[in-house]
PDB file of all heavy atoms in Angstrom:
ATOM      1  N   VAL A 589     -13.798 -19.348  14.722  1.00 95.00           N
ATOM      2  CA  VAL A 589     -13.056 -19.834  13.552  1.00 95.00           C
ATOM      3  C   VAL A 589     -13.237 -21.348  13.457  1.00 95.00           C
ATOM      4  O   VAL A 589     -12.926 -22.085  14.397  1.00 95.00           O
ATOM      5  CB  VAL A 589     -11.561 -19.475  13.647  1.00 95.00           C
ATOM      6  CG1 VAL A 589     -10.798 -20.055  12.456  1.00 95.00           C
ATOM      7  CG2 VAL A 589     -11.386 -17.963  13.699  1.00 95.00           C
ATOM      8  N   LEU A 591     -12.314 -24.719  11.177  1.00 95.00           N
ATOM      9  CA  LEU A 591     -11.437 -25.284  10.161  1.00 95.00           C
ATOM     10  C   LEU A 591     -12.086 -26.510   9.540  1.00 95.00           C
ATOM     11  O   LEU A 591     -12.558 -27.400  10.259  1.00 95.00           O
ATOM     12  CB  LEU A 591     -10.089 -25.669  10.767  1.00 95.00           C
ATOM     13  CG  LEU A 591      -9.277 -24.545  11.419  1.00 95.00           C
ATOM     14  CD1 LEU A 591      -7.992 -25.097  12.014  1.00 95.00           C
ATOM     15  CD2 LEU A 591      -8.965 -23.453  10.412  1.00 95.00           C
ATOM     16  N   ALA A 768     -12.859 -18.530   3.813  1.00 93.00           N
ATOM     17  CA  ALA A 768     -11.662 -18.538   2.972  1.00 93.00           C
ATOM     18  C   ALA A 768     -11.548 -19.942   2.390  1.00 93.00           C
ATOM     19  O   ALA A 768     -11.380 -20.909   3.134  1.00 93.00           O
ATOM     20  CB  ALA A 768     -10.428 -18.195   3.789  1.00 93.00           C
ATOM     21  N   GLN A 770      -9.476 -21.242  -0.262  1.00 86.00           N
ATOM     22  CA  GLN A 770      -8.198 -21.830  -0.683  1.00 86.00           C
ATOM     23  C   GLN A 770      -7.025 -20.983  -0.178  1.00 86.00           C
ATOM     24  O   GLN A 770      -6.299 -20.370  -0.963  1.00 86.00           O
ATOM     25  CB  GLN A 770      -8.137 -21.946  -2.211  1.00 86.00           C
ATOM     26  CG  GLN A 770      -9.114 -22.940  -2.799  1.00 86.00           C
ATOM     27  CD  GLN A 770      -9.027 -23.015  -4.314  1.00 86.00           C
ATOM     28  OE1 GLN A 770      -8.574 -22.083  -4.968  1.00 86.00           O
ATOM     29  NE2 GLN A 770      -9.457 -24.124  -4.877  1.00 86.00           N
ATOM     30  N   PRO A 771      -6.804 -20.956   1.146  1.00 89.00           N
ATOM     31  CA  PRO A 771      -5.763 -20.063   1.673  1.00 89.00           C
ATOM     32  C   PRO A 771      -4.392 -20.697   1.865  1.00 89.00           C
ATOM     33  O   PRO A 771      -3.458 -20.004   2.264  1.00 89.00           O
ATOM     34  CB  PRO A 771      -6.347 -19.681   3.040  1.00 89.00           C
ATOM     35  CG  PRO A 771      -7.067 -20.921   3.472  1.00 89.00           C
ATOM     36  CD  PRO A 771      -7.603 -21.564   2.209  1.00 89.00           C
ATOM     37  N   ASP A 772      -4.234 -21.998   1.594  1.00 87.00           N
ATOM     38  CA  ASP A 772      -3.016 -22.711   2.007  1.00 87.00           C
ATOM     39  C   ASP A 772      -1.742 -22.300   1.278  1.00 87.00           C
ATOM     40  O   ASP A 772      -0.641 -22.571   1.767  1.00 87.00           O
ATOM     41  CB  ASP A 772      -3.195 -24.223   1.825  1.00 87.00           C
ATOM     42  CG  ASP A 772      -4.098 -24.841   2.889  1.00 87.00           C
ATOM     43  OD1 ASP A 772      -4.353 -24.157   3.900  1.00 87.00           O
ATOM     44  OD2 ASP A 772      -4.549 -25.968   2.702  1.00 87.00           O
ATOM     45  N   GLY A 773      -1.871 -21.676   0.109  1.00 80.00           N
ATOM     46  CA  GLY A 773      -0.687 -21.411  -0.711  1.00 80.00           C
ATOM     47  C   GLY A 773       0.412 -20.658   0.018  1.00 80.00           C
ATOM     48  O   GLY A 773       1.603 -20.917  -0.176  1.00 80.00           O
ATOM     49  N   ALA A 774       0.028 -19.715   0.903  1.00 79.00           N
ATOM     50  CA  ALA A 774       1.034 -18.885   1.570  1.00 79.00           C
ATOM     51  C   ALA A 774       1.794 -19.632   2.655  1.00 79.00           C
ATOM     52  O   ALA A 774       2.841 -19.153   3.119  1.00 79.00           O
ATOM     53  CB  ALA A 774       0.361 -17.653   2.175  1.00 79.00           C
ATOM     54  N   LEU A 775       1.297 -20.788   3.067  1.00 84.00           N
ATOM     55  CA  LEU A 775       1.954 -21.516   4.160  1.00 84.00           C
ATOM     56  C   LEU A 775       3.351 -21.989   3.786  1.00 84.00           C
ATOM     57  O   LEU A 775       4.201 -22.151   4.651  1.00 84.00           O
ATOM     58  CB  LEU A 775       1.098 -22.715   4.581  1.00 84.00           C
ATOM     59  CG  LEU A 775      -0.266 -22.412   5.214  1.00 84.00           C
ATOM     60  CD1 LEU A 775      -1.004 -23.707   5.500  1.00 84.00           C
ATOM     61  CD2 LEU A 775      -0.105 -21.596   6.497  1.00 84.00           C
ATOM     62  N   PHE A 776       3.578 -22.231   2.509  1.00 82.00           N
ATOM     63  CA  PHE A 776       4.847 -22.825   2.080  1.00 82.00           C
ATOM     64  C   PHE A 776       5.559 -21.958   1.049  1.00 82.00           C
ATOM     65  O   PHE A 776       6.311 -22.457   0.227  1.00 82.00           O
ATOM     66  CB  PHE A 776       4.582 -24.226   1.534  1.00 82.00           C
ATOM     67  CG  PHE A 776       3.767 -25.076   2.480  1.00 82.00           C
ATOM     68  CD1 PHE A 776       2.426 -25.302   2.254  1.00 82.00           C
ATOM     69  CD2 PHE A 776       4.348 -25.613   3.614  1.00 82.00           C
ATOM     70  CE1 PHE A 776       1.664 -26.055   3.127  1.00 82.00           C
ATOM     71  CE2 PHE A 776       3.601 -26.370   4.507  1.00 82.00           C
ATOM     72  CZ  PHE A 776       2.258 -26.600   4.264  1.00 82.00           C
ATOM     73  N   MET A 786      -0.521 -13.694   5.328  1.00 92.00           N
ATOM     74  CA  MET A 786      -1.677 -14.584   5.329  1.00 92.00           C
ATOM     75  C   MET A 786      -2.462 -14.462   6.629  1.00 92.00           C
ATOM     76  O   MET A 786      -3.694 -14.366   6.623  1.00 92.00           O
ATOM     77  CB  MET A 786      -1.212 -16.027   5.131  1.00 92.00           C
ATOM     78  CG  MET A 786      -2.318 -17.050   5.257  1.00 92.00           C
ATOM     79  SD  MET A 786      -1.643 -18.705   5.312  1.00 92.00           S
ATOM     80  CE  MET A 786      -3.120 -19.658   5.591  1.00 92.00           C
ATOM     81  N   PHE A 787      -1.767 -14.475   7.760  1.00 94.00           N
ATOM     82  CA  PHE A 787      -2.443 -14.367   9.046  1.00 94.00           C
ATOM     83  C   PHE A 787      -3.214 -13.047   9.126  1.00 94.00           C
ATOM     84  O   PHE A 787      -4.367 -13.012   9.572  1.00 94.00           O
ATOM     85  CB  PHE A 787      -1.428 -14.454  10.185  1.00 94.00           C
ATOM     86  CG  PHE A 787      -2.050 -14.509  11.557  1.00 94.00           C
ATOM     87  CD1 PHE A 787      -2.380 -15.725  12.131  1.00 94.00           C
ATOM     88  CD2 PHE A 787      -2.307 -13.345  12.274  1.00 94.00           C
ATOM     89  CE1 PHE A 787      -2.961 -15.779  13.397  1.00 94.00           C
ATOM     90  CE2 PHE A 787      -2.886 -13.388  13.522  1.00 94.00           C
ATOM     91  CZ  PHE A 787      -3.211 -14.609  14.089  1.00 94.00           C
ATOM     92  N   LEU A 790      -6.407 -13.183   6.810  1.00 94.00           N
ATOM     93  CA  LEU A 790      -7.484 -14.017   7.338  1.00 94.00           C
ATOM     94  C   LEU A 790      -8.098 -13.410   8.593  1.00 94.00           C
ATOM     95  O   LEU A 790      -9.317 -13.453   8.786  1.00 94.00           O
ATOM     96  CB  LEU A 790      -6.965 -15.423   7.620  1.00 94.00           C
ATOM     97  CG  LEU A 790      -6.552 -16.243   6.398  1.00 94.00           C
ATOM     98  CD1 LEU A 790      -6.064 -17.620   6.823  1.00 94.00           C
ATOM     99  CD2 LEU A 790      -7.703 -16.373   5.393  1.00 94.00           C
ATOM    100  N   ILE A 815     -12.581 -21.779   7.363  1.00 95.00           N
ATOM    101  CA  ILE A 815     -11.341 -21.898   6.593  1.00 95.00           C
ATOM    102  C   ILE A 815     -11.221 -23.331   6.100  1.00 95.00           C
ATOM    103  O   ILE A 815     -11.184 -24.270   6.893  1.00 95.00           O
ATOM    104  CB  ILE A 815     -10.113 -21.541   7.454  1.00 95.00           C
ATOM    105  CG1 ILE A 815     -10.206 -20.095   7.943  1.00 95.00           C
ATOM    106  CG2 ILE A 815      -8.831 -21.754   6.664  1.00 95.00           C
ATOM    107  CD1 ILE A 815      -9.105 -19.707   8.896  1.00 95.00           C
ATOM    108  N   GLN A 816     -11.194 -23.479   4.781  1.00 94.00           N
ATOM    109  CA  GLN A 816     -10.984 -24.800   4.188  1.00 94.00           C
ATOM    110  C   GLN A 816      -9.482 -24.998   3.970  1.00 94.00           C
ATOM    111  O   GLN A 816      -8.838 -24.201   3.276  1.00 94.00           O
ATOM    112  CB  GLN A 816     -11.737 -24.917   2.866  1.00 94.00           C
ATOM    113  CG  GLN A 816     -13.245 -24.823   3.029  1.00 94.00           C
ATOM    114  CD  GLN A 816     -13.992 -25.110   1.739  1.00 94.00           C
ATOM    115  OE1 GLN A 816     -15.139 -25.524   1.769  1.00 94.00           O
ATOM    116  NE2 GLN A 816     -13.377 -24.899   0.603  1.00 94.00           N
ATOM    117  N   THR A 817      -8.930 -26.045   4.554  1.00 93.00           N
ATOM    118  CA  THR A 817      -7.482 -26.229   4.501  1.00 93.00           C
ATOM    119  C   THR A 817      -7.117 -27.707   4.437  1.00 93.00           C
ATOM    120  O   THR A 817      -7.842 -28.567   4.956  1.00 93.00           O
ATOM    121  CB  THR A 817      -6.813 -25.598   5.741  1.00 93.00           C
ATOM    122  OG1 THR A 817      -5.427 -25.931   5.745  1.00 93.00           O
ATOM    123  CG2 THR A 817      -7.451 -26.092   7.038  1.00 93.00           C
ATOM    124  N   TRP A 818      -5.986 -27.967   3.812  1.00 92.00           N
ATOM    125  CA  TRP A 818      -5.417 -29.315   3.802  1.00 92.00           C
ATOM    126  C   TRP A 818      -4.431 -29.491   4.954  1.00 92.00           C
ATOM    127  O   TRP A 818      -3.865 -30.569   5.125  1.00 92.00           O
ATOM    128  CB  TRP A 818      -4.709 -29.566   2.468  1.00 92.00           C
ATOM    129  CG  TRP A 818      -5.646 -29.599   1.300  1.00 92.00           C
ATOM    130  CD1 TRP A 818      -6.032 -28.543   0.525  1.00 92.00           C
ATOM    131  CD2 TRP A 818      -6.339 -30.743   0.776  1.00 92.00           C
ATOM    132  NE1 TRP A 818      -6.922 -28.947  -0.447  1.00 92.00           N
ATOM    133  CE2 TRP A 818      -7.121 -30.302  -0.325  1.00 92.00           C
ATOM    134  CE3 TRP A 818      -6.365 -32.092   1.123  1.00 92.00           C
ATOM    135  CZ2 TRP A 818      -7.914 -31.155  -1.070  1.00 92.00           C
ATOM    136  CZ3 TRP A 818      -7.171 -32.948   0.366  1.00 92.00           C
ATOM    137  CH2 TRP A 818      -7.936 -32.484  -0.707  1.00 92.00           C
ATOM    138  N   HIS A 819      -4.244 -28.428   5.737  1.00 93.00           N
ATOM    139  CA  HIS A 819      -3.260 -28.474   6.828  1.00 93.00           C
ATOM    140  C   HIS A 819      -3.878 -27.879   8.097  1.00 93.00           C
ATOM    141  O   HIS A 819      -3.414 -26.841   8.602  1.00 93.00           O
ATOM    142  CB  HIS A 819      -1.994 -27.709   6.429  1.00 93.00           C
ATOM    143  CG  HIS A 819      -1.411 -28.154   5.133  1.00 93.00           C
ATOM    144  ND1 HIS A 819      -0.581 -29.251   5.037  1.00 93.00           N
ATOM    145  CD2 HIS A 819      -1.560 -27.667   3.866  1.00 93.00           C
ATOM    146  CE1 HIS A 819      -0.234 -29.409   3.763  1.00 93.00           C
ATOM    147  NE2 HIS A 819      -0.818 -28.475   3.040  1.00 93.00           N
ATOM    148  N   PRO A 820      -4.906 -28.500   8.630  1.00 93.00           N
ATOM    149  CA  PRO A 820      -5.616 -27.923   9.784  1.00 93.00           C
ATOM    150  C   PRO A 820      -4.773 -27.838  11.047  1.00 93.00           C
ATOM    151  O   PRO A 820      -5.129 -27.094  11.968  1.00 93.00           O
ATOM    152  CB  PRO A 820      -6.806 -28.873   9.972  1.00 93.00           C
ATOM    153  CG  PRO A 820      -6.357 -30.171   9.374  1.00 93.00           C
ATOM    154  CD  PRO A 820      -5.483 -29.801   8.214  1.00 93.00           C
ATOM    155  N   ASP A 821      -3.674 -28.583  11.129  1.00 93.00           N
ATOM    156  CA  ASP A 821      -2.843 -28.579  12.338  1.00 93.00           C
ATOM    157  C   ASP A 821      -1.723 -27.545  12.282  1.00 93.00           C
ATOM    158  O   ASP A 821      -0.894 -27.474  13.200  1.00 93.00           O
ATOM    159  CB  ASP A 821      -2.240 -29.966  12.568  1.00 93.00           C
ATOM    160  CG  ASP A 821      -3.302 -31.029  12.805  1.00 93.00           C
ATOM    161  OD1 ASP A 821      -4.344 -30.692  13.404  1.00 93.00           O
ATOM    162  OD2 ASP A 821      -3.102 -32.186  12.374  1.00 93.00           O
ATOM    163  N   HIS A 822      -1.681 -26.737  11.212  1.00 92.00           N
ATOM    164  CA  HIS A 822      -0.600 -25.765  11.086  1.00 92.00           C
ATOM    165  C   HIS A 822      -0.696 -24.709  12.198  1.00 92.00           C
ATOM    166  O   HIS A 822      -1.782 -24.320  12.622  1.00 92.00           O
ATOM    167  CB  HIS A 822      -0.679 -25.086   9.721  1.00 92.00           C
ATOM    168  CG  HIS A 822       0.593 -24.399   9.324  1.00 92.00           C
ATOM    169  ND1 HIS A 822       0.970 -23.168   9.828  1.00 92.00           N
ATOM    170  CD2 HIS A 822       1.594 -24.759   8.475  1.00 92.00           C
ATOM    171  CE1 HIS A 822       2.127 -22.811   9.305  1.00 92.00           C
ATOM    172  NE2 HIS A 822       2.531 -23.763   8.486  1.00 92.00           N
ATOM    173  N   ALA A 823       0.466 -24.253  12.664  1.00 90.00           N
ATOM    174  CA  ALA A 823       0.506 -23.298  13.782  1.00 90.00           C
ATOM    175  C   ALA A 823      -0.205 -21.992  13.459  1.00 90.00           C
ATOM    176  O   ALA A 823      -0.774 -21.353  14.355  1.00 90.00           O
ATOM    177  CB  ALA A 823       1.968 -23.021  14.154  1.00 90.00           C
ATOM    178  N   VAL A 824      -0.177 -21.572  12.197  1.00 92.00           N
ATOM    179  CA  VAL A 824      -0.868 -20.339  11.817  1.00 92.00           C
ATOM    180  C   VAL A 824      -2.361 -20.463  12.104  1.00 92.00           C
ATOM    181  O   VAL A 824      -2.998 -19.555  12.661  1.00 92.00           O
ATOM    182  CB  VAL A 824      -0.624 -20.015  10.330  1.00 92.00           C
ATOM    183  CG1 VAL A 824      -1.544 -18.887   9.859  1.00 92.00           C
ATOM    184  CG2 VAL A 824       0.830 -19.623  10.104  1.00 92.00           C
ATOM    185  N   TYR A 825      -2.944 -21.586  11.730  1.00 94.00           N
ATOM    186  CA  TYR A 825      -4.381 -21.783  11.953  1.00 94.00           C
ATOM    187  C   TYR A 825      -4.692 -21.969  13.435  1.00 94.00           C
ATOM    188  O   TYR A 825      -5.758 -21.557  13.908  1.00 94.00           O
ATOM    189  CB  TYR A 825      -4.882 -22.979  11.154  1.00 94.00           C
ATOM    190  CG  TYR A 825      -4.810 -22.773   9.658  1.00 94.00           C
ATOM    191  CD1 TYR A 825      -4.323 -23.773   8.817  1.00 94.00           C
ATOM    192  CD2 TYR A 825      -5.220 -21.582   9.072  1.00 94.00           C
ATOM    193  CE1 TYR A 825      -4.251 -23.592   7.443  1.00 94.00           C
ATOM    194  CE2 TYR A 825      -5.149 -21.391   7.710  1.00 94.00           C
ATOM    195  CZ  TYR A 825      -4.667 -22.400   6.891  1.00 94.00           C
ATOM    196  OH  TYR A 825      -4.599 -22.207   5.534  1.00 94.00           O
ATOM    197  N   ALA A 826      -3.778 -22.573  14.168  1.00 93.00           N
ATOM    198  CA  ALA A 826      -3.999 -22.746  15.605  1.00 93.00           C
ATOM    199  C   ALA A 826      -4.109 -21.389  16.296  1.00 93.00           C
ATOM    200  O   ALA A 826      -4.996 -21.166  17.140  1.00 93.00           O
ATOM    201  CB  ALA A 826      -2.874 -23.576  16.214  1.00 93.00           C
ATOM    202  N   ALA A 827      -3.221 -20.457  15.940  1.00 94.00           N
ATOM    203  CA  ALA A 827      -3.291 -19.110  16.522  1.00 94.00           C
ATOM    204  C   ALA A 827      -4.528 -18.363  16.041  1.00 94.00           C
ATOM    205  O   ALA A 827      -5.159 -17.612  16.800  1.00 94.00           O
ATOM    206  CB  ALA A 827      -2.025 -18.332  16.168  1.00 94.00           C
ATOM    207  N   LEU A 828      -4.892 -18.582  14.786  1.00 94.00           N
ATOM    208  CA  LEU A 828      -6.051 -17.896  14.235  1.00 94.00           C
ATOM    209  C   LEU A 828      -7.329 -18.341  14.938  1.00 94.00           C
ATOM    210  O   LEU A 828      -8.230 -17.523  15.182  1.00 94.00           O
ATOM    211  CB  LEU A 828      -6.137 -18.167  12.732  1.00 94.00           C
ATOM    212  CG  LEU A 828      -7.069 -17.271  11.921  1.00 94.00           C
ATOM    213  CD1 LEU A 828      -6.552 -15.839  11.911  1.00 94.00           C
ATOM    214  CD2 LEU A 828      -7.187 -17.780  10.491  1.00 94.00           C
ATOM    215  N   ARG A 829      -7.426 -19.606  15.265  1.00 93.00           N
ATOM    216  CA  ARG A 829      -8.624 -20.105  15.938  1.00 93.00           C
ATOM    217  C   ARG A 829      -8.832 -19.405  17.274  1.00 93.00           C
ATOM    218  O   ARG A 829      -9.967 -19.202  17.707  1.00 93.00           O
ATOM    219  CB  ARG A 829      -8.528 -21.618  16.159  1.00 93.00           C
ATOM    220  CG  ARG A 829      -8.621 -22.445  14.898  1.00 93.00           C
ATOM    221  CD  ARG A 829      -8.727 -23.918  15.212  1.00 93.00           C
ATOM    222  NE  ARG A 829     -10.044 -24.250  15.766  1.00 93.00           N
ATOM    223  CZ  ARG A 829     -10.455 -25.490  15.981  1.00 93.00           C
ATOM    224  NH1 ARG A 829      -9.645 -26.519  15.713  1.00 93.00           N
ATOM    225  NH2 ARG A 829     -11.646 -25.721  16.473  1.00 93.00           N
ATOM    226  N   ARG A 830      -7.742 -19.043  17.923  1.00 92.00           N
ATOM    227  CA  ARG A 830      -7.839 -18.382  19.232  1.00 92.00           C
ATOM    228  C   ARG A 830      -7.829 -16.860  19.104  1.00 92.00           C
ATOM    229  O   ARG A 830      -7.858 -16.164  20.114  1.00 92.00           O
ATOM    230  CB  ARG A 830      -6.665 -18.810  20.119  1.00 92.00           C
ATOM    231  CG  ARG A 830      -6.560 -20.304  20.357  1.00 92.00           C
ATOM    232  CD  ARG A 830      -5.507 -20.611  21.426  1.00 92.00           C
ATOM    233  NE  ARG A 830      -4.192 -20.055  21.070  1.00 92.00           N
ATOM    234  CZ  ARG A 830      -3.262 -20.715  20.408  1.00 92.00           C
ATOM    235  NH1 ARG A 830      -3.494 -21.956  19.981  1.00 92.00           N
ATOM    236  NH2 ARG A 830      -2.101 -20.153  20.146  1.00 92.00           N
ATOM    237  N   HIS A 831      -7.773 -16.356  17.870  1.00 92.00           N
ATOM    238  CA  HIS A 831      -7.604 -14.913  17.646  1.00 92.00           C
ATOM    239  C   HIS A 831      -6.405 -14.416  18.444  1.00 92.00           C
ATOM    240  O   HIS A 831      -6.419 -13.324  19.013  1.00 92.00           O
ATOM    241  CB  HIS A 831      -8.867 -14.143  18.039  1.00 92.00           C
ATOM    242  CG  HIS A 831     -10.069 -14.476  17.216  1.00 92.00           C
ATOM    243  ND1 HIS A 831     -10.331 -13.876  16.005  1.00 92.00           N
ATOM    244  CD2 HIS A 831     -11.071 -15.359  17.428  1.00 92.00           C
ATOM    245  CE1 HIS A 831     -11.455 -14.377  15.504  1.00 92.00           C
ATOM    246  NE2 HIS A 831     -11.917 -15.283  16.341  1.00 92.00           N
ATOM    247  N   ASP A 832      -5.358 -15.203  18.447  1.00 93.00           N
ATOM    248  CA  ASP A 832      -4.206 -14.944  19.313  1.00 93.00           C
ATOM    249  C   ASP A 832      -3.046 -14.395  18.498  1.00 93.00           C
ATOM    250  O   ASP A 832      -2.084 -15.108  18.186  1.00 93.00           O
ATOM    251  CB  ASP A 832      -3.815 -16.240  20.033  1.00 93.00           C
ATOM    252  CG  ASP A 832      -2.863 -15.988  21.191  1.00 93.00           C
ATOM    253  OD1 ASP A 832      -2.367 -14.849  21.315  1.00 93.00           O
ATOM    254  OD2 ASP A 832      -2.611 -16.935  21.963  1.00 93.00           O
ATOM    255  N   PHE A 836       1.018 -15.769  17.745  1.00 95.00           N
ATOM    256  CA  PHE A 836       1.532 -15.887  16.375  1.00 95.00           C
ATOM    257  C   PHE A 836       2.790 -15.040  16.212  1.00 95.00           C
ATOM    258  O   PHE A 836       3.798 -15.492  15.664  1.00 95.00           O
ATOM    259  CB  PHE A 836       0.457 -15.446  15.382  1.00 95.00           C
ATOM    260  CG  PHE A 836       0.974 -15.238  13.991  1.00 95.00           C
ATOM    261  CD1 PHE A 836       1.175 -16.321  13.144  1.00 95.00           C
ATOM    262  CD2 PHE A 836       1.271 -13.962  13.520  1.00 95.00           C
ATOM    263  CE1 PHE A 836       1.666 -16.129  11.858  1.00 95.00           C
ATOM    264  CE2 PHE A 836       1.761 -13.770  12.239  1.00 95.00           C
ATOM    265  CZ  PHE A 836       1.956 -14.863  11.413  1.00 95.00           C
TER     266      PHE A 836
END
Side-chain angles (χ1 to χ4, degrees):
V589 177
L591 300 178
Q770 293 180 337
D772 286 346
L775 294 177
F776 309 103
M786 174 190 176
F787 187 90
L790 293 180
I815 299 175
Q816 296 187 155
T817 173
W818 294 90
H819 307 277
D821 297 327
H822 198 282
V824 169
Y825 294 135
L828 195 66
R829 290 189 72 172
R830 302 189 303 268
H831 296 275
D832 194 350
F836 167 80

